[in-house]
Amino acid sequence: MTNIQTNSSQWLPTSKKEVKQLGWSDIDVILFTGDAYIDHPSFGAAVIGRVLEAEGLRVAVIPQPNWEDDLRDFKKLGKPRLFFAVTGGNMDSMVNHYTAGKRKRSNDAYTPGGRSGYRPDYATIVYSNILKKLYPEIPLVVGGIEASLRRVTHYDYWSDKLMPSILVDSKADMLFYGMGEKSIIEFARLVKRGVPVENLTTIPQTSFIVDAKKNYATKKNWDELELASHEECLADRKTFARNFMHIEEESNKMEAKKLIQKVDNRKIVVNPPWPTFKEKEIDRVYDLPYTRLPHPRYNNKETIPAYEMIRHSINIHRGCFGGCTFCTISAHQGKFIASRSQKSVLKEVEKVTEMPDFKGYISDLGGPSANMYKMKGIHEEICRKCKRPSCIFPSICKNLDTSHKPMLDLYKKVRQNPKIKKAFVGSGIRYDMILEKTGNKETDKSNKEYLREVIKHHVSGRLKVAPEHSSDEVLKFMRKPSFQLFEKLNDEFIKINKEEKLNQQLVPYFISSHPGSKSEDMADLAIRTKKMNFRLEQVQDFTPTPMTLATVVYYSGYHPYTMEKIFTAKNKHDKENQRQFFFWYKNEFKNSIKKDLEKKGRNDLVKQLFKK
């Protein structure tokens, strides 16, 4: 890795030597993370560290501590004055470590050189337990995606069992779910004032454990919903499935209820979330003084793959209202979109252009779904009453403003910067919001223009989209639009490329073994993509991750909303059977595919797939 900057005082300290160089006599907060320390707004630990620093606190970061030696990494900075904060990193450690087939991965993108073995399985739990054993008297909080999506009873694919809230196993005093800036600021302010942690029970978007019979302070305007207990979920899969329906509904509401779940003789309390960030609030987070670089401790070491991917990228918004059944974005970031101001985005663009290694290319100007910037309900009072998990499925909500004009204006301003050769949109695009007519002439015009502008100016030769499947039955389960809409997109893509004299590629993402998908559905996918001249490369075997509807179906066998039984490919043979259809054109899979379909009496599919 190139040694770009060497003044370590521009970063949060990571060692005793760096703390001493800053002239600190003590540290207010020590933050442990499973990732390498990269001071960039795409990394949660950096964001939380900078947010606390902006509050006037002295914050240190311990990246990827060694949990297998004499625990010197956990001891080297001693006790913080206020609290410890722990995150497993930007990914759930189990997703980071294992493939969909539960094979151990040989790489970790968040570590120098992509080397594996620098964080434990269930990193949040392991780090927290060590800290609680060493310093039982110091408050400890957990956050990040691993903690956030394990805040109530959840199915853990890797141990193949239901686990209670991560608060139980981590022994943490409090959990911040979702994007934790507001929660940790409020928590830090109160702890700093001397309020005992056990009294901090009214902070929104936090979770904690109390004795089942103990009274605790709460807010009068918070309605309460008691979920099925952890023990009831363990005893009955249907109960666990139905439980999830309530969890998902509340996580998608503008005004959610407080959730209670008993476990043993205690109860987990999940306070409602904060209101969606206003523009000024989200700007403040992104305008903090990030160096946008890995800490100097990684100088002259191998590159960190995850950093290489995002070093020149810019996030323009948070949240996603797509509601896909296999996705955790809305459960973590929220359904409602928090968009940055154009001014804040352009300020960051300018900062990126000043980086010594910048060659004129922004790698991604996007968000969780690239084209949801500035989108929201036309009448907020309608949104307040809504609990739909998706604003665009089964059809686009008539109250949703899907105009792409704010994005077109932003893209144009970025293109006008003389230092920018190209700003790519690398995030996935929801094409249903572009292609489906709204009835509003101005909106329909801007949406049509958006597709052409992206293809003409913002594609690096490959436009990524995620149809996910071809079967309308499976797509309906996934809360995704009909495959016919993808076919329409492909036609438009070819047409625009021809008109603009471009030679670009449409890259679709697909999933095999998703609940509801059978071999025949995968054969249909192979046939239909073959007709469109696709040789698939961006494919994924379904991985059950905590807090998604698809995972609940995988474990329980039931759809939480209808209690209908749903087939899911679970064993290795069935999963491999489905995956092979992605590669029907390879000789090593042809005989196996033919046998599978003939066994099911589907010679018609064999003929369609292998006819010349």
Side-chain angles (χ1 to χ4, degrees), residues 436-478:
E436 288 188 16
K437 293 278 192 292
T438 66
N440 181 311
K441 285 184 181 178
E442 285 300 310
T443 297
D444 290 342
K445 185 185 172 188
S446 77
N447 295 0
K448 197 173 180 183
E449 187 186 342
Y450 176 83
L451 183 60
R452 184 173 290 271
E453 285 289 288
V454 166
I455 292 169
K456 188 177 178 180
H457 296 293
H458 301 283
V459 175
S460 62
R462 293 154 68 89
L463 177 64
K464 295 174 188 173
V465 291
E468 307 295 6
H469 218 290
S470 64
S471 159
D472 279 350
E473 194 179 322
V474 178
L475 287 166
K476 186 180 176 184
F477 180 87
M478 289 177 161

Side-chain angles (χ1 to χ4, degrees), residues 117-346:
Y118 280 73
R119 84 181 81 213
D121 286 356
Y122 307 106
T124 303
I125 293 171
V126 172
Y127 296 162
S128 298
N129 274 279
I130 291 170
L131 290 167
K132 271 297 178 190
K133 196 171 182 181
L134 291 173
Y135 310 103
E137 74 284 11
I138 304 294
L140 184 149
V141 299
V142 294
I145 200 153
E146 183 167 271
S148 178
L149 301 179
R150 294 171 180 267
R151 58 190 183 256
V152 290
T153 295
H154 57 279
Y155 172 66
D156 182 72
Y157 172 62
W158 301 274
S159 60
D160 191 27
K161 66 180 184 183
L162 286 191
M163 294 178 74
S165 165
I166 197 170
L167 281 166
V168 174
D169 292 325
S170 68
K171 303 179 179 68
D173 295 290
M174 187 169 284
L175 181 155
F176 303 129
Y177 69 90
M179 309 302 270
E181 297 97 340
K182 276 188 177 182
S183 305
I184 205 160
I185 286 171
E186 184 72 6
F187 178 83
R189 285 174 181 170
L190 292 167
V191 172
K192 195 177 175 184
R193 274 168 38 192
V195 182
V197 175
E198 60 270 21
N199 292 352
L200 301 179
T201 55
T202 60
I203 302 174
Q205 217 161 306
T206 61
S207 182
F208 51 89
I209 303 182
V210 292
D211 288 338
K213 293 176 183 176
K214 185 185 174 184
N215 291 323
Y216 61 94
T218 189
K219 293 195 175 179
K220 289 178 182 176
N221 62 327
W222 285 350
D223 290 332
E224 185 174 302
L225 173 66
E226 184 161 354
L227 302 169
S229 71
H230 177 64
E231 288 73 23
E232 287 171 323
C233 290
L234 284 174
D236 182 50
R237 292 182 186 230
K238 279 187 178 180
T239 300
F240 171 67
R242 182 61 81 186
N243 216 34
F244 181 80
M245 181 188 79
H246 300 301
I247 294 164
E248 186 179 53
E249 281 183 345
E250 294 308 317
S251 72
N252 285 317
K253 281 160 72 171
M254 198 172 267
E255 294 174 349
K257 292 175 182 173
K258 178 177 71 177
L259 302 179
I260 304 291
Q261 186 182 39
K262 287 178 182 164
V263 51
D264 295 328
N265 58 348
R266 297 183 292 171
K267 56 185 178 186
I268 307 293
V269 180
V270 183
N271 284 341
W274 294 94
T276 304
F277 263 21
K278 290 183 172 66
E279 189 176 84
K280 279 185 181 176
E281 292 173 316
I282 192 168
D283 281 357
R284 181 176 174 269
V285 171
Y286 283 90
D287 292 347
L288 292 169
Y290 306 97
T291 62
R292 296 186 65 88
L293 297 166
H295 187 275
R297 66 189 284 137
Y298 307 113
N299 283 349
N300 304 316
K301 290 188 179 178
E302 294 167 284
T303 57
I304 301 164
Y307 173 67
E308 294 302 305
M309 284 178 66
I310 55 84
R311 65 194 306 163
H312 300 138
S313 72
I314 291 167
N315 199 343
I316 62 175
H317 70 271
R318 288 178 179 176
C320 179
F321 47 69
C324 300
T325 56
F326 49 83
C327 181
T328 58
I329 292 169
S330 65
H332 184 64
Q333 294 195 10
K335 181 175 80 169
F336 300 98
I337 307 300
S339 299
R340 296 171 64 186
S341 67
Q342 191 180 97
K343 183 183 175 183
S344 174
V345 174
L346 293 175

Side-chain angles (χ1 to χ4, degrees), residues 285-544:
V285 171
Y286 283 90
D287 292 347
L288 292 169
Y290 306 97
T291 62
R292 296 186 65 88
L293 297 166
H295 187 275
R297 66 189 284 137
Y298 307 113
N299 283 349
N300 304 316
K301 290 188 179 178
E302 294 167 284
T303 57
I304 301 164
Y307 173 67
E308 294 302 305
M309 284 178 66
I310 55 84
R311 65 194 306 163
H312 300 138
S313 72
I314 291 167
N315 199 343
I316 62 175
H317 70 271
R318 288 178 179 176
C320 179
F321 47 69
C324 300
T325 56
F326 49 83
C327 181
T328 58
I329 292 169
S330 65
H332 184 64
Q333 294 195 10
K335 181 175 80 169
F336 300 98
I337 307 300
S339 299
R340 296 171 64 186
S341 67
Q342 191 180 97
K343 183 183 175 183
S344 174
V345 174
L346 293 175
K347 185 179 169 185
E348 190 177 354
V349 167
E350 190 59 36
K351 194 171 182 180
V352 171
T353 66
E354 291 163 3
M355 292 175 72
D357 61 343
F358 184 67
K359 301 288 192 294
Y361 299 96
I362 300 284
S363 60
D364 186 20
L365 193 64
S369 285
N371 58 324
M372 289 185 182
Y373 179 69
K374 295 282 185 182
M375 292 187 183
K376 60 181 180 179
I378 299 163
H379 304 291
E380 194 178 285
E381 62 272 19
I382 294 174
C383 296
R384 286 193 179 281
K385 296 171 188 171
C386 179
K387 59 180 182 181
R388 271 176 66 169
S390 172
C391 300
I392 51 181
F393 184 87
S395 59
I396 295 171
C397 177
K398 287 182 168 58
N399 188 48
L400 180 66
D401 179 5
T402 60
S403 173
H404 286 62
K405 190 175 185 307
M407 272 172 288
L408 287 168
D409 294 344
L410 177 63
Y411 292 176
K412 189 177 179 182
K413 285 275 175 68
V414 173
R415 290 202 303 273
Q416 285 171 351
N417 187 316
K419 299 172 195 169
I420 303 290
K421 293 177 184 174
K422 200 111 173 175
F424 300 121
V425 175
S427 317
I429 285 171
R430 283 297 300 233
Y431 51 85
D432 40 349
M433 294 193 303
I434 300 169
L435 299 174
E436 288 188 16
K437 293 278 192 292
T438 66
N440 181 311
K441 285 184 181 178
E442 285 300 310
T443 297
D444 290 342
K445 185 185 172 188
S446 77
N447 295 0
K448 197 173 180 183
E449 187 186 342
Y450 176 83
L451 183 60
R452 184 173 290 271
E453 285 289 288
V454 166
I455 292 169
K456 188 177 178 180
H457 296 293
H458 301 283
V459 175
S460 62
R462 293 154 68 89
L463 177 64
K464 295 174 188 173
V465 291
E468 307 295 6
H469 218 290
S470 64
S471 159
D472 279 350
E473 194 179 322
V474 178
L475 287 166
K476 186 180 176 184
F477 180 87
M478 289 177 161
R479 299 179 184 145
K480 296 285 286 185
S482 168
F483 192 74
Q484 289 177 337
L485 212 58
F486 172 67
E487 292 171 328
K488 185 179 176 183
L489 174 73
N490 188 50
D491 292 341
E492 286 291 318
F493 185 81
I494 292 166
K495 176 172 166 278
I496 292 169
N497 266 274
K498 196 174 179 182
E499 289 169 357
E500 300 291 344
K501 296 181 172 56
L502 297 166
N503 181 25
Q504 297 181 139
Q505 188 183 3
L506 191 63
V507 181
Y509 282 65
F510 290 99
I511 297 178
S512 60
S513 301
H514 190 279
S517 174
K518 303 180 182 71
S519 289
E520 300 93 308
D521 298 315
M522 294 302 297
D524 176 73
L525 193 160
I527 291 161
R528 293 177 78 168
T529 51
K530 177 191 175 185
K531 284 177 182 173
M532 296 170 77
N533 296 315
F534 280 106
R535 290 284 171 102
L536 305 181
E537 51 179 275
Q538 298 290 347
V539 296
Q540 171 69 47
D541 191 22
F542 171 67
T543 305

Side-chain angles (χ1 to χ4, degrees), residues 544-561:
T545 54
M547 216 152 167
T548 70
L549 186 141
T551 297
V552 172
V553 173
Y554 176 92
Y555 168 75
S556 71
Y558 297 95
H559 194 296
Y561 288 81

